[in-house]
Amino acid sequence: AQLDTLDIIVLAALLLGTVAYFTKGTYWAVYGDPYGNSLAASNGAAKAGKSRNILERMEEQDKNCVVFYGSQTGTAEDYASRLAKEGHSRFGLSTMVADLEDYDFDNLDKFPDDKLAVFVLATYGEGEPTDNAVEFYEFIGSEDVAFSEGGSIDDKPLGSMKYVAFGLGNNTYEHYNSMVRNVDKYLTKLGATRLGAAGEGDDGAGTMEEDFLAWKEPMWAAVTESMGLEEREAVYEPNFEITEKSDVDAESTEVYLGEPNKNHLEGSQKGPYNANNPFIAPIAESTELFTAKDRNCLHMEIDVSGSNLSYTTGDHIAVWPTNSGKEVDRFLNILGLASKRHTVIAVKSLDATAKVPFPSPTTYDAAVRYHIEIGAPVSRQFVSTIAQFAPNDELRAELAKLGGDKDYFHEKISDRQLNIAQFLEIASGGKPWEQIPFSLMIEGLLKIQPRYYSISSSSLVQKNKISITAVVESLEKPGSPHILKGVTTNYLLALKQKQHGDPNPDPHGLNYAINGPRNKYDGIHVPVHVRHSNFKLPSDPSKPIIMVGPGTGVAPFRAFVQERAAQAKAGQNVGKTILFFGCRRKDEDYIYQNEWKEYKEALGDNFVLHVAFSRDGPKKVYVQHQMANYADELNQLLDQKAYFYVCGDAANMAREVNTLLGKMIAKHRNVSEQKGEEIVKAMRASNQYQEDVW
Ligand code: FAD
């Protein structure tokens, strides 16, 4: 297989990691600061000097339970931490959390029978492993899996291993929870014994958290029985020690005020830029594609010249967000930390196997603003844990009730879309919750996640400028005292407003610190990295393509059409290019209207745009209706092996398009609907049908 840049970076980092391992103590500090420099913060080398031998690591740290995670957006990692924490506090297990990419697996055949392995595995995209689980998945699923002791699968090499497994998936995807299902199958086949059922959480149904909570109680019962454990009264033990350094000035050069790693702290950002090391990119241009009463849509041009960041059409760009000042203030106020917001704190892990999720020393303000996902939905388990730190008995009882009663919790918290600080504020009437340890907030809330955007420009046309097309999130729920404001998209909106002359942009009073730590993002900059995807145009431009992308789902298709128009202009033979786009109204949110005309000039009759307006006429028209209207033409193109692409809403649209296509094919080819579905499946398997959905 061809190596892309990311592979090369990963391989280089792994090689460095190996070198580092064999030279440990000579050139590297064994448990160095993972944020020490950008290279050390990238894959593999981040853990320079740490053994990749999980059994050795468990032995060395006296652990009898390892919780492995395969995580893309941080949720699986969070669940893994929660299981580790609970295993220790409730059942006395000596637990550790392990990133799957940090270890080798060839010695799992020596996994001791008095220890426990836990697997928390998210399924990504089309049934794929998360980036950090690729190697593990390939190893464990291999036909001739090679363990250190040799032997074949029939010898049951994992006969001594006990494990539990939970998967995070989305039922709107075809390969629902395939990671946990397959890994469970492989482990069983290799002779390992599962305790309890393999759990499955469903993000598509919005029940992930409840699925997790419902799965874990019987799982713990099976574990306690099998391992002869006894439940004890859970006492909270912090993972992190927070030391306030009142003698250190927040402006001192060694204090991280939001800089993601040491290079950034020292003021000279250095590549390679990746998921651990963002490039602070200038925003070359920003506009609003439309501004309606309750929605607006941004178009931005991010300049990556000189960064060595490269993309190909169809890739994703990740934007590293900053929390809004409004929510940072709320959070610090309700914890009673507002007056100490600029106090310097050193955060140290109390367990060598737990990572501090951000660089230290820092300040409360910087940790909350740049590193903790304070706006996210609140988990029921977290509310239970906080109960013991309530300011009075009444609130303690209320939180315990919320933790124990699913329906009550939904009514009071989830259905109102409250974040943690909004909830605590309402619950106590604004009285601060001063007893909640800051460590608990670091452990219980997610690390802030970069948000992905399907790049809406062609790398052929603008190699160094990456376009983003994003709708600004603003969700009003009846019964909620707060309008939910998307973290990243409102941050981007503030940047756009600043670029257009507003020196203190403040959309909705959110008050973003858009100049970044120590003003390093001044002059309209945003931290980004690029993620390569498999969503790709056919390499031969003469092949016909069909694209379905309503709303911002059109983003990558703007890139596709832009690319094909450029190819046509350059005299290349470009095939039929059909786009189904949908929006509410012609004069409201019909984005890129003028550009389509331009592309049409270059592509002529080979470019056809079918638009569906859902609110313009008496009848709601969606892209699916338009597809049905042009069924004959679509079928003919599919017969000619046209590539078929869908982008946008995973929950409804993408699934409906899939079903509809199966039916259209069945009718056209005069086969059963089941056969039609199978044809679509085969198209997916051969990459003729590609999805980029969220
Ligand atoms: P967030 O703050 O992350 O909120 C997002 C949603 O989470 C809210 O709408 C709400 O449903 C839920 N939520 C947040 N907080 C709470 C709470 N307290 N309680 C309950 N629910 C809550 N978007 C685009 O506009 N254009 C694109 O081209 C695009 N491409 C994408 C490609 C990929 C591969 C992926 C994975 C996503 C893509 N997205 C795209 C979506 C994008 O990544 C972001 O999710 C989106 O912009 C919202 O980000 P945000 O930070 O503004 O909102």
Side-chain angles (χ1 to χ4, degrees):
Q2 224 181 349
L3 292 178
D4 65 16
T5 324
L6 187 70
D7 291 328
I8 293 168
I9 293 167
V10 170
L11 281 174
L14 284 175
L15 181 67
L16 261 175
T18 315
V19 171
Y21 176 66
F22 289 113
T23 57
K24 85 175 167 201
T26 321
Y27 302 117
W28 298 82
V30 176
Y31 297 119
D33 168 12
Y35 300 93
N37 62 52
S38 67
L39 237 197
S42 69
N43 292 344
K47 299 90 192 179
K50 281 190 199 167
S51 170
R52 291 188 56 83
N53 179 334
I54 185 63
L55 300 185
E56 201 174 280
R57 186 103 176 108
M58 289 176 79
E59 198 63 42
E60 185 184 282
Q61 299 295 329
D62 206 14
K63 305 291 183 190
N64 62 359
C65 170
V66 56
V67 188
F68 290 111
Y69 63 84
S71 188
Q72 196 73 30
T73 59
T75 314
E77 183 177 353
D78 175 51
Y79 284 12
S81 305
R82 283 160 61 180
L83 287 173
K85 190 103 188 152
E86 194 174 345
H88 177 66
S89 60
R90 276 178 72 188
F91 304 102
L93 284 164
S94 178
T95 54
M96 66 176 282
V97 170
D99 184 337
L100 276 169
E101 78 179 350
D102 289 352
Y103 295 95
D104 297 326
F105 301 97
D106 57 343
N107 65 351
L108 285 186
D109 55 342
K110 295 204 208 88
F111 198 86
D113 61 4
D114 58 347
K115 298 194 177 184
L116 178 69
V118 179
F119 294 90
V120 184
L121 302 168
T123 298
Y124 193 61
E126 298 292 303
E128 290 145 37
T130 55
D131 291 347
N132 73 327
V134 172
E135 276 181 42
F136 165 70
Y137 191 55
E138 282 171 1
F139 177 84
I140 208 79
S142 152
E143 287 286 316
D144 45 0
V145 50
F147 287 110
S148 53
E149 299 279 286
S152 73
I153 297 182
D154 299 332
D155 300 332
K156 306 279 179 213
L158 298 188
S160 61
M161 180 192 259
K162 292 195 190 75
Y163 73 97
V164 306
F166 183 81
L168 296 87
N170 184 320
N171 77 17
T172 57
Y173 288 80
E174 160 132 18
H175 300 276
Y176 175 55
N177 258 315
S178 65
M179 265 303 277
V180 73
R181 289 181 184 181
N182 289 338
V183 168
D184 182 44
K185 196 171 70 192
Y186 300 146
L187 292 172
T188 309
K189 205 164 155 194
L190 291 163
T193 307
R194 192 187 64 236
L195 305 180
E200 292 185 356
D202 185 2
D203 202 25
T207 54
M208 183 70 82
E209 173 77 10
E210 290 304 334
D211 295 336
F212 176 69
L213 297 182
W215 162 80
K216 79 184 173 51
E217 287 313 313
M219 177 278 291
W220 285 129
V223 168
T224 43
E225 192 189 322
S226 165
M227 297 183 74
L229 305 171
E230 255 179 59
E231 182 161 1
R232 57 185 192 181
E233 175 142 13
V235 184
Y236 172 72
E237 285 173 44
N239 283 0
F240 305 107
E241 181 185 81
I242 319 284
T243 315
E244 293 181 357
K245 306 251 180 199
S246 26
D247 52 323
V248 182
D249 191 275
E251 289 303 323
S252 313
T253 50
E254 77 275 19
V255 178
Y256 290 85
L257 296 181
E259 291 90 349
N261 57 43
K262 199 162 183 182
N263 284 336
H264 287 274
L265 182 70
E266 289 173 349
S268 55
Q269 56 170 338
K270 264 193 262 170
Y273 300 107
N274 53 39
N276 297 297
N277 185 35
F279 173 58
I280 312 296
I283 297 177
E285 270 174 61
S286 53
T287 48
E288 276 183 57
L289 293 171
F290 70 80
T291 311
K293 186 168 55 65
D294 53 346
R295 291 186 311 154
N296 29 12
C297 182
L298 298 169
H299 177 94
M300 296 191 135
E301 297 283 331
I302 314 287
D303 190 346
V304 293
S305 324
S307 69
N308 249 344
L309 275 176
S310 68
Y311 78 103
T312 52
T313 308
D315 283 345
H316 300 135
I317 183 168
V319 174
W320 291 48
T322 296
N323 283 310
S324 73
K326 185 176 178 179
E327 290 307 323
V328 172
D329 292 349
R330 191 195 311 278
F331 188 90
L332 293 172
N333 280 330
I334 203 65
L335 292 185
L337 293 172
S339 61
K340 298 200 280 194
R341 66 192 308 154
H342 298 302
T343 300
V344 173
I345 50 172
V347 184
K348 195 179 122 205
S349 173
L350 291 168
D351 178 332
T353 65
K355 294 186 241 179
V356 181
F358 47 79
S360 154
T362 182
T363 62
Y364 287 112
D365 185 285
V368 173
R369 191 178 299 276
Y370 293 100
H371 301 294
I372 305 180
E373 194 82 82
I374 58 173
V378 178
S379 94
R380 190 151 68 84
Q381 193 178 3
F382 189 47
V383 169
S384 283
T385 314
I386 292 179
Q388 60 191 302
F389 303 107
N392 57 49
D393 288 346
E394 203 185 320
L395 281 170
R396 196 164 304 126
E398 172 70 0
L399 263 63
K401 179 170 178 205
L402 284 161
D405 183 338
K406 177 167 128 181
D407 296 331
Y408 189 57
F409 180 84
H410 281 290
E411 180 197 326
K412 291 278 176 191
I413 303 181
S414 317
D415 293 350
R416 301 165 86 193
Q417 306 190 126
L418 301 179
N419 65 38
I420 187 68
Q422 290 167 347
F423 159 67
L424 294 175
E425 197 176 52
I426 292 171
S428 70
K431 189 173 175 331
W433 297 59
E434 283 163 344
Q435 288 158 45
I436 302 179
F438 194 61
S439 176
L440 176 56
M441 287 295 174
I442 305 175
E443 295 152 27
L445 300 176
L446 292 176
K447 184 161 73 179
I448 209 161
Q449 297 295 325
R451 309 307 202 259
Y452 290 109
Y453 295 90
S454 302
I455 294 176
S456 58
S457 53
S458 152
S459 56
L460 193 79
V461 177
Q462 44 180 82
K463 179 165 146 284
N464 286 322
K465 253 193 228 161
I466 291 180
S467 309
I468 290 182
T469 309
V471 158
V472 180
E473 292 267 348
S474 176
L475 291 175
E476 208 167 341
K477 268 256 173 137
S480 176
H482 297 285
I483 299 177
L484 192 153
K485 295 289 175 192
V487 175
T488 319
T489 47
N490 283 284
Y491 168 51
L492 292 174
L493 177 63
L495 283 161
K496 183 246 145 193
Q497 291 179 349
K498 183 173 178 207
Q499 186 155 48
H500 288 261
D502 185 344
N504 291 305
D506 190 18
H508 322 286
L510 290 171
N511 184 23
Y512 282 93
I514 52 175
N515 288 341
R518 295 185 167 90
N519 282 327
K520 284 174 183 167
Y521 306 172
D522 198 5
I524 331 285
H525 285 75
V526 64
V528 298
H529 73 268
V530 171
R531 182 172 196 276
H532 299 291
S533 87
N534 297 323
F535 193 73
K536 292 290 165 233
L537 276 166
S539 47
D540 173 2
S542 71
K543 280 235 164 88
I545 62 169
I546 302 161
M547 300 161 283
V548 183
T552 44
V554 82
F557 301 139
R558 173 185 182 260
F560 282 16
V561 180
Q562 190 183 51
E563 180 145 327
R564 284 171 76 102
Q567 286 168 325
K569 266 194 188 157
Q572 278 178 275
N573 176 15
V574 175
K576 203 87 185 170
T577 304
I578 310 231
L579 171 62
F580 290 91
F581 172 68
C583 62
R584 289 184 185 172
R585 295 184 184 90
K586 188 171 194 300
D587 55 9
E588 181 180 311
D589 52 354
Y590 184 0
I591 55 180
Y592 301 120
Q593 222 175 124
N594 292 328
E595 278 190 36
W596 302 129
K597 288 182 195 142
E598 232 177 82
Y599 301 141
K600 177 94 187 159
E601 273 169 31
L603 287 162
D605 288 345
N606 269 339
F607 176 48
V608 183
L609 172 64
H610 299 295
V611 190
F613 299 109
S614 64
R615 302 202 185 165
D616 255 352
K619 243 180 58 197
K620 291 194 169 184
V621 185
Y622 293 113
V623 283
Q624 296 90 312
H625 298 119
Q626 287 288 51
M627 279 174 64
N629 290 341
Y630 295 92
D632 280 344
E633 190 187 0
L634 292 188
N635 277 308
Q636 277 164 22
L637 288 171
L638 290 173
D639 285 342
Q640 296 163 29
K641 294 272 169 278
Y643 275 46
F644 188 86
Y645 301 91
V646 186
C647 179
D649 168 40
N652 303 304
M653 183 275 299
R655 197 157 46 164
E656 285 168 23
V657 166
N658 183 97
T659 312
L660 175 64
L661 195 71
K663 287 189 175 154
M664 279 167 43
I665 290 175
K667 195 165 162 211
H668 172 74
R669 302 193 191 170
N670 208 7
V671 294
S672 68
E673 288 197 356
Q674 194 194 340
K675 180 74 193 158
E677 261 174 50
E678 279 165 24
I679 294 172
V680 172
K681 255 191 199 162
M683 284 171 62
R684 282 174 178 271
S686 66
N687 274 341
Q688 194 194 342
Y689 187 127
Q690 298 182 25
E691 265 184 357
D692 180 24
V693 295
W694 60 83

